[in-house]
Structure formats: C-alpha cells, structure tokens
Amino acid sequence: MAAVQFAGSPQSEPALEVPREPPPEQSNGFRCLSARLCALRPDDNNSARTEIHLLFDQLISENYSKGGGVAPEDVSTLLVQACQLVPLNQNHLVSKVSQLIHHLLNRLQVIVDEQNLDFLLAYAISAIQQCSSWTHMEILQALAALVYCNGSKCQKHLPDLLGKSGILMKLSDSAQPDPEVRRAAVHCMANLCLSVPGQPYLEEPYPNICFQAFLSTLQSPKSSDMDDITFCMLLQNALKGIQSLLNGGKMKLTQTEELGALLAVLKKSMFHGLPGLNIELPTVLYPTPLPQYDGRPPVKPQQSESSASRPTANKKKKSKSKKIQQGGGEEEEESSGEREVAPIPGSGREHLHEGNTPCSSSLGGQSAPAEGSGAAGKERVSPPIRSASWKRVSSSESEYSDAEGGMQSKMRSYQAKVRQGALACFLSTIKSIEKKVLYGYWSAFVPDTPELGSPQSVSLMTLTLKDPSPKTRACALQVLSAILEGSKQFLSVAEDTSDHRRAFTPFSVMIASSIRELHRCLLLALVAEASSQTLTQIIKCLATLVSNSPYNRLKLSLLTKVWNQIKPYIRHKDVNVRVSSLTLLGAIVSTHAPLPEVQLLLQQPCSSGLSNSNSATPRLSAPDWWKKAPSGPFLEEASVSSPKGSSEPCWLIRLCISTVVLPREDSCSGSDAGSAAGSPYEPSPMRLEALQVLAHLAKGYFSMAQVYLMELGEVICKCMGEADPSIQLHGAKLLEELGTGLIQQYKPDSTVASDQRVPVSLVVMFWTMMLNSPLPRALQNSEHPTLQASACDALSSILPEAFSSLPSDRQILCITMLLGLNDSRNRLVKAATSRALGVYVLFPCLRQDVIFVADTANAILMSLLDKSLNVRAKAAWSLGNLTDTLIVNMETPDPSFQEEFSGLLLLKMLRSAIEASRDKDKVKSNAVRALGNLLHFLQPSHIEKPSFAEIIEESIQALISTVLIEAAMKVRWNACYAMGNVFKNPALPLGTAPWTSQAYYALTSVVTSCKNFKVRIRSATALSIPSKREHYGSVDQYVQIWNALVTALQKSEDTTDFLEFKYCASLRTQICQALIHLLSLASASDLPCIRETLELNGDMVQSFILQFLKSGAEGEDPGAPHSSHEREQLVRRALEHVSSIQALPGDTAKRAIMGFLEDILTIYFDSSGSQVALPELTSQ
C-alpha cells in the first residue's frame, strides 16, 4: 500500500508504516518523561504551563532511534494525557501538543488504536474550531498523523471533517487565504482516504466528496500568494488522495465526464514544470472513435525531422563516451518529435509508492490494457517546442549563483515529484477502468507519426525522451507498459503493408502509425538513456510492445531495428539490463512466430553488434564448445545423424547456451547480487531468461533449434541436475517444447519434408539421454511438486515413433512412474499425470496392450473422483482419449482386444462418464465424448446382458439432456458428436428403443434453433448417420426429422451474431447432405409427407441442393463427399432409390419427388455443360 506522508514535513520525514512488534525494553528517556507527564494534573497557573512546555520540548527532542523500543499503546496513552493537560484556550500549548502528536506518531511510526483515536480526534477538531488561526497549521499536521491508515475508524467524526461545513472542506477550499493551511488540509484528506488491505474503506458519500475536492484542487490554478514549492506539495497531496481512493477500490469511474476530467488533470500534472513546455488542456478529455486528423496520408518519419532535433540527439550521444553506437545511427538521426503516449489501463500492476519516490522501481508489475478505439483530440504545445529547450538540465550548465542554483534545484525536485505522483495516479486509474473504455483515449496519450507542418503534441514518450529526472522517465515507461500489456487484440487491427492514398486515414493505418512511432521513440530513448534503472524499463517496455504488435500486418524492418539496437545491451555491465535485453529477444522470437524477418535475423553472423567494452557476459565460444567438456556418449553420433539445417549457426542459441552453462569471465556490477554467493555462473535471473529464450526458439523456430538438439539435451541434463528448483523447472519446460516440436514434425499434416525432419534414431538417442538420469530424478522430487508436474508434461511430449524404439526398460520406466504418480496427493502432479496417461494411451505401440489400457482406465477413473476441478478436467480429457483408443482397436481386423477387455471395467467407465457428464463444463465436454465412444464400442455380447440395459439407457439420457441444456457450446457440440457415435453401433436398438424419439427430438431442436452454427452442423451430421430406414423409427418420426431439416435450411442465415455467418455455407452443405441421405432411405409411406414439404418449400430446397452440388462440401464430417462427382452420385442414388420404391396405389408422390430430383440434376448438368443420360433413370 502506498504511503501518504504527514503534512508538515512530507519531503523530509519518512512515511508511517504499520509498526512492528517493539522490543521488550523501552527507552528510559521516554519512560521517565512519560511518568513525569502522567504525574501532572490540569492546572492553569504559569509554572504548570511552563513545566508542560518543557516536558513537551523534551519529548520532542528525545532521540528515538528506530522506534526506541517504545510500545505503540504507551505513545497513545501519553498523547491522551498530554491533551487532557492542555485546555483549548491555551493557543501556545495547543500548538505545542499538536507538534508533539505529529512528531511522536511520525517518528515512532505509530498508528493510534481506535479508543484513543476517538478522544484525540475530538480534541483536534475542537482545537481547530476554537483556537486562533495561527495554530491551524500545527493542528492539521497532528490530525494528518492521527487519521493516517485510520480512515475507517473515523466514521463518526467524518461529518465534522468532510460534511458540507466540515473543517477540512473549508480549509482546503481555493478561497482559503493561507496556502500552507490549505495544503495541510488536503494532506489530511489524503491520509483519511488511505486504507490498509483487509480494513474497511470510507463509507459513502465521503469517497466521492474527497474525490471531487482533490479534482477541484488539481484543476484550480496557482494563486498569486502561493509559492511554487507549496503549490507542488498541494498537487502532490491531491494526487496521492485520488490514488488512495482508486487503490481502495471504492471509486468506480463510470461517468464519462468524471473520467475525462480526471484524465485531463492527470495529463496536465504529468508535465508540470517540465522545462520548455507550456500545454493548454481542456478541463475534460472525451473519448472518440477516431482521433482528429486532417485527411492527409501518413508520411515517413524521416520527412518530419527538423534540423534542430539532430544536434540534440548527437549531443546526447557524445556525452556518453561508453554508450553503445552499434545500430543506433539511423534512429538517432530521425526527428525527435514525440507524440502523446497514454497510460492505458491494466490490472495487476503494483501500486506506486507515495512519498519521496512515488515511482520507484518496485512498481513493476503487469497490467492488461483494454480494447476500444480512438481518443480525444491531441492537445497542442504552445509555443512550438524546440529541441534545445528540452535538453536535460545538469548542475554544471546552470547559470545561477549558488543560492539561486540551490533553490532552482529544489524547485525542479518538487516539480519532478508532482509528475511522478501524476504517473503513479495514472497507474491506479488504469486498474480502475475497463480496458475498452480507456482505449477510447488512446490517441490522447499514445504518440502518432508526426506530420509535416503539424504542431507537436505531448505524450508519455515526451517524458521518456525529455524529462530530466530518471525516476520520472522510468515511471512514464511503466505506465506505457501498462497500456501496452494485453493490447494484442486492440492493436491487431493495425495494417500498413500497402500505401494508403485516400481522402481519409483508416483506423487500421492510424494504429499502425502509432505502433511505428512507439518503436521509433523507444529506440531513441534507448540510445539516449544513461540510467541503468531507466534503461531496464525502456527495454521492458519494448518487450511489451513487441509482444503485442501485429508484425505480420506491418511493413518489414521494425523488428530488425529493435534487434540490431538491443544486441549490444546483452553484454551491458548491469545485470538487470542484460536480463531485460534477453526478455526482449525472447519477445521477438515468440511474437507471431515464425516470422521470415526474424528467421533472417537469427541467421546473422554471431559477432554482429555484440562488441561492448562493458561486457559481463560469457564469450560466444566455438560451435563445438560442448564437445570439449566431459559430456554424454551421444554427441559424435549426433553430429553425423543431424538433419539438414541452417548452414549458418544461430548466434542466439549459442549465446543462451553459453549463458546457461559456461562460467562468467569478468566481474559484474554490484547489481549482480542475483547470483548465488560463490557461484561461478551468470546470476540466476540471467540463466532463467536464457532458458526461456531457448524454449521460445524451440516453439517458434524449431527448424533452427533442431540442429542443436543433442547440445540442448546436454543443457537440459545440466539444468535438471542443479540444486536450484527454478533452473530445473525451466530445463523441464525447454524439454517439453523440444518434444512438442519433434511431434509437430511427424504429424500427418506436417509441411516439413522428410529429409528435414530429425531422424527417429536421433530422437531415440535424445530421449534415452533424458531418461538415463535427470528426468526420473525430477519426477521423484516430491519436495517440488511444480517440478514434478512439469517433468510429467515433458514426459508426455515424447514422439510416439521414438517411444516404440526405446529400450523396453525405458518404456516400462515411463509407464510405471506415470501410473505411480497418479496417486500423488498434490493436485498439480495428479493433473499432469492424468494428462500424460491420456497421451500415452494413444501411442500405437501401447493402445492394443489390454493390460496397459486397463491400468490407465483405472487410474483415470480414480482421478475423476478428485476434489480438484483441474484434475477432473484432465482426467475426463484422458478418458475421452482412452475411449478413442477403444474405437481404433475395434476397427482393426483382430478382435482379440474387444474380447479380452473387461466388461466390468466398461460398466465402471460408463458409470464414471455419466457422473462426470453432470460436472462442470470443463469436465462435461469430454465426459460426453467418452460416453459416445463407449456406447459405440459396446459389443452385442455386452448389450445382451441385463446388467448393461439400465446403464445404456442412463448413458443415452445423459447425452440427450446435455444436447438440450444451455451449456457451453463446446459441451453441446461434443454431445451431438457423441450421439452420432451412438448411432454408429448397429447392435443398439435404434428405431425401436423408447429413447429413439427423445434422441431425434433433441437433435432436431438443436439443428433448427441453436445459436451456435457449429453445433447445428454437428447435429445435422448426426442425423445423417443411421444407415437403415428402420433406424429412423415410425413414419411420423421420419417426417419430423425431414421437416426439421427443411426448416433448418430455411433458417440457415438467421443469426444475430456476425461471427456465425462464416459457418452458414457449411451448415447448408451438411443439411443438404442429410436431406439427400433421408431420401435415399425413404419408404413408400414416407413419400406423401415429403411431397407436401416440397410443394411448400421445393424451390428453396432445390436452390440450396444446387449450391451443394456446385460449391463443394464444407461440412465438418471427414466422411462427407468432397468431389463434384461424389456429390452428384449422392443425388443419383437418392433418385434411383425413390424410383425403385413400390408406390402405394393412386399415390403420385413418387413421381413428384423423382421429378424434383431430376430437375435438380438437369439444371446442374446444364449449368456445368455436362451431358448425362437422365432418360435411363426416368425410363425406370
């Protein structure tokens, strides 16, 4: 919780904190003075007053080092006694006791208990009401100390303090003649609003009263009788008050006027006292769909550069003799014109600390900004800013005398604290507003590419590039990071891959221009920055920008510029800079991977841009450095067996490997404290970041990582053999990514050529190395369950083709460990194990092993009973996989698996799946998938048993209810899919069983009315699965299904959700296929009803079937006909079937339906120019 300082000495005194338990011994001085004070009795004579004065002075002057061992309750008791001795008509004594309250509470960091607080507050309020105005300053200081973190305990005094005629409202008003008293009153209000987590907040309406008072204070101009420093302190206190209200969660900025007014004063305060800047702002900023623009197309940044800006950038360059030059020239020569960068809201950020360092480095955190559109019109700088006026002022450049220079320096310090306070408040605002709302103000705060002739506007980047205070620059960057964090969806509309020459600027082009300008300004800041702490923030901000920018929709070179300028910082002397540089590189290789631009960057020569005299990173060693070390027996063979890969080694992989495994060579800066004492390696954060970058490369650029497969295996073995669990964990994550990359290469739909894949023999060697020591140790490390879970995930990423080639003892080891860990009491481990078993049960070499499948089934059924939802969800997924395996085995020629698989186990699985289908949606979606597979798998020998009859009925009822309920669409889709699987089992009494009509009713209601078109498609697919007419039941049942499908075809474009339109064609295709399938099975009794429907809707049905014939099958069923010939044959077969039906006497329906189908084929053949012998059909 940010600390609000006490009035009186907000810059010199430390902020109060919740006191720690004091030591048993108390300060003798305090104890003696306290005893003397307690011995006194109220007396109005001069000698008594003198003695009280002296005692107060002694108490104030006593040396209280770090609390002095004084108990908080003793301080409270003493203050109550002191107030009881001082009548309110003694102004001097009231002033002195107020100083004592302020001094003791502030110095000893005491928060007064509720009982004593009540008395002391009443005393202070009465003192302000009755004593002379010259005492008000000291009394307000005491009041601020009393209410600090005690706002919720002051409820009964709030009317006196904050009511319409409350003393704080009067004294904080702009009409208050004494500026110091006004500042102190605002400070009291800010302390009242400060709350401790877990404690109640101020009750309504007081938070809003305080908010309006703070807002009014920030909006009011500086009065003529107020000096600049007091004005700065007044603004600081108002900003702290708003921040405390926002952090407390009681303020909901839902009104546009209220939010706009706050954003306007925050923007104004963000630039308070910045040299050379005088901005004019409206009192309210309004969100707009798009920023105002003049209709001209955006121009390249180089066109807008001013000649005045170049010398400034160069001067900054030259002033830092050790600053890296590589890759920065092009950026530095560009215009330094910045745009407004807006802090956009994000949740989860740490609060900025109040007090002297409102934007200290501890306020790092991640915020998730919002989606929305444009922002308020940009404010213009008046007069236009010249670069020279922005130069950061240093003491050596000052033209003042020592006295003037000291005052000027003090003034600049106070002004910087106002800017920092405004930025701190902005971060709290970010947390309090919906993202989509705040993104409406994007262009009011985020820079855009400057245009020729346009006056420059100010933004967060203005502070980042021009503020003389490194702390303020760091704060501005943290706010910008908060805006950008999670903005991927908002920024995804950006596009500038083609030149737009239009009368207006599209929103996509505006956002792309903003992204380009952010890159340009941040790279300028990177080159110009001298403070390591701020440099770290710049790089982190760049990483956030890179992670959220849609580079696949932007012109090339943005990432190349970032890449080339960050490479030298990998060897910076400060470890935090090095770590954040690796984070940025990790962001580059993980964003929209794989990008061709990044692929080329990874293939650059390793020496490019890496020279730096401040190096503290291990050298890049020769590509075969690992062969010189005692390593495994696999490397020589690996070098022979490696697939064809990039001829140029990947310098980033080599850098990361070196960082993880090689000792550092030179001494690092004092900030390298992150490394363990005596450790020869890089600090732990650096090694962890390097492992994360390797994992990103394995995920996004596996073709480059695969060349180093065995070397990375050695790195993983080393990491998982270390004592640090974090290093072990990241090693396991890297192993999982490598395993996943290998699996992707061997998938049937993989585009990787066979000679570019890692040979299975090499994959076997790799996993043998993993299973020979490090992975089993991690799996058995019960002290670190997160590591165990990660090791399970890694073990599940083994290539199935490689698993079957592993030595049998290694295979048994994997299976035994997973089955054993399924009994773990830790839910993380149990969930990971359940998932891994679900992967293994699909392996071709294991799925026909009845014993393994049965053991896995029992383990999964046990996990389905776990209290943890995550464990049950993973177990249900694995149960679905296991039942997929049953279906695959059923389709093999060898019936031995079905015969040997236990009927009792099938019953258990059915019961567990039924129970799971009543669970949460995460469990239910896979439970119904399993039910469908199990009912499909049941053999006639099972169905005939009485023990199965009831469970089959119950299972189908569970599926029917799931199809009909308003659950997640994935659940209903799976339920429809499962129902289709049930229909595939010829042994089930479909058509005669009582549940038949219920099942068809559920599917037909979904196909006609479900909001989600993918669910409709799946239900139409299920309706077209039964292969015999009797499976559809009675004529009424058949006609109901037919009519439902025709209705569904009519309503195939009825949706209010725009996203569903893309599935319209697929839905119509599937419905047409189902209708044709029904026709091809129709009986003579069905034909009259079919004719009635066609008489009403024949034209509509005909047009859609013609579309089906012409456009191709777009349904989801993999067995659907895909060629024109196959679709044509479906209609032909339906026509042939109808023509072969023995029509009932006098029934003309057959002739009408045949004519309908013949017309369709004739129109289709005429439109396609085909000549087909339809007369042969009609002659039948």
Side-chain angles (χ1 to χ4, degrees), residues 578-593:
R578 300 204 300 279
V579 171
S580 56
S581 299
L582 273 179
T583 303
L584 175 52
L585 287 170
I588 291 173
V589 298
S590 61
T591 184
H592 298 283

mmCIF file with all atom_site columns, all heavy atoms in Angstrom, residues 578-593:
data_model
loop_
_atom_site.group_PDB
_atom_site.id
_atom_site.type_symbol
_atom_site.label_atom_id
_atom_site.label_alt_id
_atom_site.label_comp_id
_atom_site.label_asym_id
_atom_site.label_entity_id
_atom_site.label_seq_id
_atom_site.pdbx_PDB_ins_code
_atom_site.Cartn_x
_atom_site.Cartn_y
_atom_site.Cartn_z
_atom_site.occupancy
_atom_site.B_iso_or_equiv
_atom_site.pdbx_formal_charge
_atom_site.auth_seq_id
_atom_site.auth_comp_id
_atom_site.auth_asym_id
_atom_site.auth_atom_id
_atom_site.pdbx_PDB_model_num
ATOM 1   N N   . ARG A 1 578 ? 20.907 -6.623  -18.789 1.00 0.00 ? 578 ARG A N   1
ATOM 2   C CA  . ARG A 1 578 ? 21.163 -7.843  -19.566 1.00 0.00 ? 578 ARG A CA  1
ATOM 3   C C   . ARG A 1 578 ? 19.938 -8.765  -19.550 1.00 0.00 ? 578 ARG A C   1
ATOM 4   O O   . ARG A 1 578 ? 19.551 -9.327  -20.572 1.00 0.00 ? 578 ARG A O   1
ATOM 5   C CB  . ARG A 1 578 ? 22.383 -8.585  -19.009 1.00 0.00 ? 578 ARG A CB  1
ATOM 6   C CG  . ARG A 1 578 ? 23.666 -7.776  -19.027 1.00 0.00 ? 578 ARG A CG  1
ATOM 7   C CD  . ARG A 1 578 ? 24.897 -8.665  -19.047 1.00 0.00 ? 578 ARG A CD  1
ATOM 8   N NE  . ARG A 1 578 ? 25.024 -9.563  -17.920 1.00 0.00 ? 578 ARG A NE  1
ATOM 9   C CZ  . ARG A 1 578 ? 25.503 -9.228  -16.733 1.00 0.00 ? 578 ARG A CZ  1
ATOM 10  N NH1 . ARG A 1 578 ? 25.907 -7.990  -16.502 1.00 0.00 ? 578 ARG A NH1 1
ATOM 11  N NH2 . ARG A 1 578 ? 25.616 -10.126 -15.770 1.00 0.00 ? 578 ARG A NH2 1
ATOM 12  N N   . VAL A 1 579 ? 19.331 -8.904  -18.390 1.00 0.00 ? 579 VAL A N   1
ATOM 13  C CA  . VAL A 1 579 ? 18.153 -9.780  -18.272 1.00 0.00 ? 579 VAL A CA  1
ATOM 14  C C   . VAL A 1 579 ? 17.006 -9.243  -19.129 1.00 0.00 ? 579 VAL A C   1
ATOM 15  O O   . VAL A 1 579 ? 16.365 -9.989  -19.884 1.00 0.00 ? 579 VAL A O   1
ATOM 16  C CB  . VAL A 1 579 ? 17.709 -9.905  -16.798 1.00 0.00 ? 579 VAL A CB  1
ATOM 17  C CG1 . VAL A 1 579 ? 16.361 -10.624 -16.695 1.00 0.00 ? 579 VAL A CG1 1
ATOM 18  C CG2 . VAL A 1 579 ? 18.751 -10.664 -15.993 1.00 0.00 ? 579 VAL A CG2 1
ATOM 19  N N   . SER A 1 580 ? 16.746 -7.936  -19.035 1.00 0.00 ? 580 SER A N   1
ATOM 20  C CA  . SER A 1 580 ? 15.640 -7.376  -19.812 1.00 0.00 ? 580 SER A CA  1
ATOM 21  C C   . SER A 1 580 ? 15.937 -7.441  -21.309 1.00 0.00 ? 580 SER A C   1
ATOM 22  O O   . SER A 1 580 ? 15.015 -7.590  -22.123 1.00 0.00 ? 580 SER A O   1
ATOM 23  C CB  . SER A 1 580 ? 15.348 -5.940  -19.379 1.00 0.00 ? 580 SER A CB  1
ATOM 24  O OG  . SER A 1 580 ? 16.502 -5.138  -19.478 1.00 0.00 ? 580 SER A OG  1
ATOM 25  N N   . SER A 1 581 ? 17.225 -7.367  -21.689 1.00 0.00 ? 581 SER A N   1
ATOM 26  C CA  . SER A 1 581 ? 17.582 -7.500  -23.109 1.00 0.00 ? 581 SER A CA  1
ATOM 27  C C   . SER A 1 581 ? 17.235 -8.900  -23.616 1.00 0.00 ? 581 SER A C   1
ATOM 28  O O   . SER A 1 581 ? 16.706 -9.065  -24.721 1.00 0.00 ? 581 SER A O   1
ATOM 29  C CB  . SER A 1 581 ? 19.076 -7.228  -23.311 1.00 0.00 ? 581 SER A CB  1
ATOM 30  O OG  . SER A 1 581 ? 19.405 -5.920  -22.909 1.00 0.00 ? 581 SER A OG  1
ATOM 31  N N   . LEU A 1 582 ? 17.527 -9.905  -22.803 1.00 0.00 ? 582 LEU A N   1
ATOM 32  C CA  . LEU A 1 582 ? 17.144 -11.271 -23.190 1.00 0.00 ? 582 LEU A CA  1
ATOM 33  C C   . LEU A 1 582 ? 15.625 -11.423 -23.230 1.00 0.00 ? 582 LEU A C   1
ATOM 34  O O   . LEU A 1 582 ? 15.088 -12.127 -24.089 1.00 0.00 ? 582 LEU A O   1
ATOM 35  C CB  . LEU A 1 582 ? 17.741 -12.276 -22.196 1.00 0.00 ? 582 LEU A CB  1
ATOM 36  C CG  . LEU A 1 582 ? 19.165 -12.764 -22.498 1.00 0.00 ? 582 LEU A CG  1
ATOM 37  C CD1 . LEU A 1 582 ? 19.631 -13.728 -21.408 1.00 0.00 ? 582 LEU A CD1 1
ATOM 38  C CD2 . LEU A 1 582 ? 19.250 -13.443 -23.853 1.00 0.00 ? 582 LEU A CD2 1
ATOM 39  N N   . THR A 1 583 ? 14.934 -10.754 -22.301 1.00 0.00 ? 583 THR A N   1
ATOM 40  C CA  . THR A 1 583 ? 13.466 -10.787 -22.322 1.00 0.00 ? 583 THR A CA  1
ATOM 41  C C   . THR A 1 583 ? 12.947 -10.228 -23.641 1.00 0.00 ? 583 THR A C   1
ATOM 42  O O   . THR A 1 583 ? 12.017 -10.778 -24.243 1.00 0.00 ? 583 THR A O   1
ATOM 43  C CB  . THR A 1 583 ? 12.899 -9.959  -21.148 1.00 0.00 ? 583 THR A CB  1
ATOM 44  O OG1 . THR A 1 583 ? 13.419 -10.462 -19.915 1.00 0.00 ? 583 THR A OG1 1
ATOM 45  C CG2 . THR A 1 583 ? 11.387 -10.026 -21.116 1.00 0.00 ? 583 THR A CG2 1
ATOM 46  N N   . LEU A 1 584 ? 13.547 -9.120  -24.081 1.00 0.00 ? 584 LEU A N   1
ATOM 47  C CA  . LEU A 1 584 ? 13.138 -8.511  -25.346 1.00 0.00 ? 584 LEU A CA  1
ATOM 48  C C   . LEU A 1 584 ? 13.418 -9.446  -26.526 1.00 0.00 ? 584 LEU A C   1
ATOM 49  O O   . LEU A 1 584 ? 12.574 -9.618  -27.418 1.00 0.00 ? 584 LEU A O   1
ATOM 50  C CB  . LEU A 1 584 ? 13.864 -7.171  -25.537 1.00 0.00 ? 584 LEU A CB  1
ATOM 51  C CG  . LEU A 1 584 ? 13.642 -6.446  -26.868 1.00 0.00 ? 584 LEU A CG  1
ATOM 52  C CD1 . LEU A 1 584 ? 12.166 -6.297  -27.186 1.00 0.00 ? 584 LEU A CD1 1
ATOM 53  C CD2 . LEU A 1 584 ? 14.319 -5.082  -26.851 1.00 0.00 ? 584 LEU A CD2 1
ATOM 54  N N   . LEU A 1 585 ? 14.575 -10.070 -26.530 1.00 0.00 ? 585 LEU A N   1
ATOM 55  C CA  . LEU A 1 585 ? 14.886 -11.023 -27.601 1.00 0.00 ? 585 LEU A CA  1
ATOM 56  C C   . LEU A 1 585 ? 13.899 -12.199 -27.574 1.00 0.00 ? 585 LEU A C   1
ATOM 57  O O   . LEU A 1 585 ? 13.470 -12.692 -28.619 1.00 0.00 ? 585 LEU A O   1
ATOM 58  C CB  . LEU A 1 585 ? 16.322 -11.529 -27.471 1.00 0.00 ? 585 LEU A CB  1
ATOM 59  C CG  . LEU A 1 585 ? 17.412 -10.508 -27.846 1.00 0.00 ? 585 LEU A CG  1
ATOM 60  C CD1 . LEU A 1 585 ? 18.789 -11.030 -27.457 1.00 0.00 ? 585 LEU A CD1 1
ATOM 61  C CD2 . LEU A 1 585 ? 17.369 -10.198 -29.334 1.00 0.00 ? 585 LEU A CD2 1
ATOM 62  N N   . GLY A 1 586 ? 13.539 -12.629 -26.378 1.00 0.00 ? 586 GLY A N   1
ATOM 63  C CA  . GLY A 1 586 ? 12.540 -13.686 -26.245 1.00 0.00 ? 586 GLY A CA  1
ATOM 64  C C   . GLY A 1 586 ? 11.192 -13.253 -26.801 1.00 0.00 ? 586 GLY A C   1
ATOM 65  O O   . GLY A 1 586 ? 10.487 -14.045 -27.438 1.00 0.00 ? 586 GLY A O   1
ATOM 66  N N   . ALA A 1 587 ? 10.826 -11.979 -26.565 1.00 0.00 ? 587 ALA A N   1
ATOM 67  C CA  . ALA A 1 587 ? 9.565  -11.468 -27.108 1.00 0.00 ? 587 ALA A CA  1
ATOM 68  C C   . ALA A 1 587 ? 9.605  -11.452 -28.636 1.00 0.00 ? 587 ALA A C   1
ATOM 69  O O   . ALA A 1 587 ? 8.617  -11.779 -29.301 1.00 0.00 ? 587 ALA A O   1
ATOM 70  C CB  . ALA A 1 587 ? 9.293  -10.062 -26.572 1.00 0.00 ? 587 ALA A CB  1
ATOM 71  N N   . ILE A 1 588 ? 10.763 -11.079 -29.201 1.00 0.00 ? 588 ILE A N   1
ATOM 72  C CA  . ILE A 1 588 ? 10.892 -11.019 -30.663 1.00 0.00 ? 588 ILE A CA  1
ATOM 73  C C   . ILE A 1 588 ? 10.716 -12.403 -31.275 1.00 0.00 ? 588 ILE A C   1
ATOM 74  O O   . ILE A 1 588 ? 10.031 -12.571 -32.285 1.00 0.00 ? 588 ILE A O   1
ATOM 75  C CB  . ILE A 1 588 ? 12.260 -10.413 -31.053 1.00 0.00 ? 588 ILE A CB  1
ATOM 76  C CG1 . ILE A 1 588 ? 12.310 -8.930  -30.682 1.00 0.00 ? 588 ILE A CG1 1
ATOM 77  C CG2 . ILE A 1 588 ? 12.524 -10.576 -32.547 1.00 0.00 ? 588 ILE A CG2 1
ATOM 78  C CD1 . ILE A 1 588 ? 13.662 -8.277  -30.872 1.00 0.00 ? 588 ILE A CD1 1
ATOM 79  N N   . VAL A 1 589 ? 11.338 -13.423 -30.662 1.00 0.00 ? 589 VAL A N   1
ATOM 80  C CA  . VAL A 1 589 ? 11.270 -14.758 -31.272 1.00 0.00 ? 589 VAL A CA  1
ATOM 81  C C   . VAL A 1 589 ? 9.967  -15.486 -30.940 1.00 0.00 ? 589 VAL A C   1
ATOM 82  O O   . VAL A 1 589 ? 9.715  -16.568 -31.468 1.00 0.00 ? 589 VAL A O   1
ATOM 83  C CB  . VAL A 1 589 ? 12.477 -15.640 -30.861 1.00 0.00 ? 589 VAL A CB  1
ATOM 84  C CG1 . VAL A 1 589 ? 13.773 -15.032 -31.336 1.00 0.00 ? 589 VAL A CG1 1
ATOM 85  C CG2 . VAL A 1 589 ? 12.507 -15.879 -29.362 1.00 0.00 ? 589 VAL A CG2 1
ATOM 86  N N   . SER A 1 590 ? 9.130  -14.895 -30.065 1.00 0.00 ? 590 SER A N   1
ATOM 87  C CA  . SER A 1 590 ? 7.870  -15.569 -29.739 1.00 0.00 ? 590 SER A CA  1
ATOM 88  C C   . SER A 1 590 ? 6.661  -14.884 -30.358 1.00 0.00 ? 590 SER A C   1
ATOM 89  O O   . SER A 1 590 ? 5.580  -15.468 -30.400 1.00 0.00 ? 590 SER A O   1
ATOM 90  C CB  . SER A 1 590 ? 7.684  -15.660 -28.218 1.00 0.00 ? 590 SER A CB  1
ATOM 91  O OG  . SER A 1 590 ? 7.646  -14.371 -27.641 1.00 0.00 ? 590 SER A OG  1
ATOM 92  N N   . THR A 1 591 ? 6.811  -13.651 -30.850 1.00 0.00 ? 591 THR A N   1
ATOM 93  C CA  . THR A 1 591 ? 5.651  -12.944 -31.399 1.00 0.00 ? 591 THR A CA  1
ATOM 94  C C   . THR A 1 591 ? 5.366  -13.410 -32.825 1.00 0.00 ? 591 THR A C   1
ATOM 95  O O   . THR A 1 591 ? 6.238  -13.374 -33.698 1.00 0.00 ? 591 THR A O   1
ATOM 96  C CB  . THR A 1 591 ? 5.862  -11.418 -31.348 1.00 0.00 ? 591 THR A CB  1
ATOM 97  O OG1 . THR A 1 591 ? 4.686  -10.778 -31.799 1.00 0.00 ? 591 THR A OG1 1
ATOM 98  C CG2 . THR A 1 591 ? 7.030  -10.966 -32.206 1.00 0.00 ? 591 THR A CG2 1
ATOM 99  N N   . HIS A 1 592 ? 4.145  -13.866 -33.058 1.00 0.00 ? 592 HIS A N   1
ATOM 100 C CA  . HIS A 1 592 ? 3.685  -14.308 -34.384 1.00 0.00 ? 592 HIS A CA  1
ATOM 101 C C   . HIS A 1 592 ? 4.684  -15.254 -35.054 1.00 0.00 ? 592 HIS A C   1
ATOM 102 O O   . HIS A 1 592 ? 4.894  -15.199 -36.263 1.00 0.00 ? 592 HIS A O   1
ATOM 103 C CB  . HIS A 1 592 ? 3.428  -13.106 -35.286 1.00 0.00 ? 592 HIS A CB  1
ATOM 104 C CG  . HIS A 1 592 ? 2.354  -12.200 -34.775 1.00 0.00 ? 592 HIS A CG  1
ATOM 105 N ND1 . HIS A 1 592 ? 1.009  -12.490 -34.884 1.00 0.00 ? 592 HIS A ND1 1
ATOM 106 C CD2 . HIS A 1 592 ? 2.417  -11.019 -34.111 1.00 0.00 ? 592 HIS A CD2 1
ATOM 107 C CE1 . HIS A 1 592 ? 0.300  -11.519 -34.340 1.00 0.00 ? 592 HIS A CE1 1
ATOM 108 N NE2 . HIS A 1 592 ? 1.130  -10.628 -33.853 1.00 0.00 ? 592 HIS A NE2 1
ATOM 109 N N   . ALA A 1 593 ? 5.330  -16.086 -34.256 1.00 0.00 ? 593 ALA A N   1
ATOM 110 C CA  . ALA A 1 593 ? 6.348  -16.986 -34.812 1.00 0.00 ? 593 ALA A CA  1
ATOM 111 C C   . ALA A 1 593 ? 5.700  -18.037 -35.705 1.00 0.00 ? 593 ALA A C   1
ATOM 112 O O   . ALA A 1 593 ? 4.587  -18.492 -35.428 1.00 0.00 ? 593 ALA A O   1
ATOM 113 C CB  . ALA A 1 593 ? 7.105  -17.669 -33.672 1.00 0.00 ? 593 ALA A CB  1
#
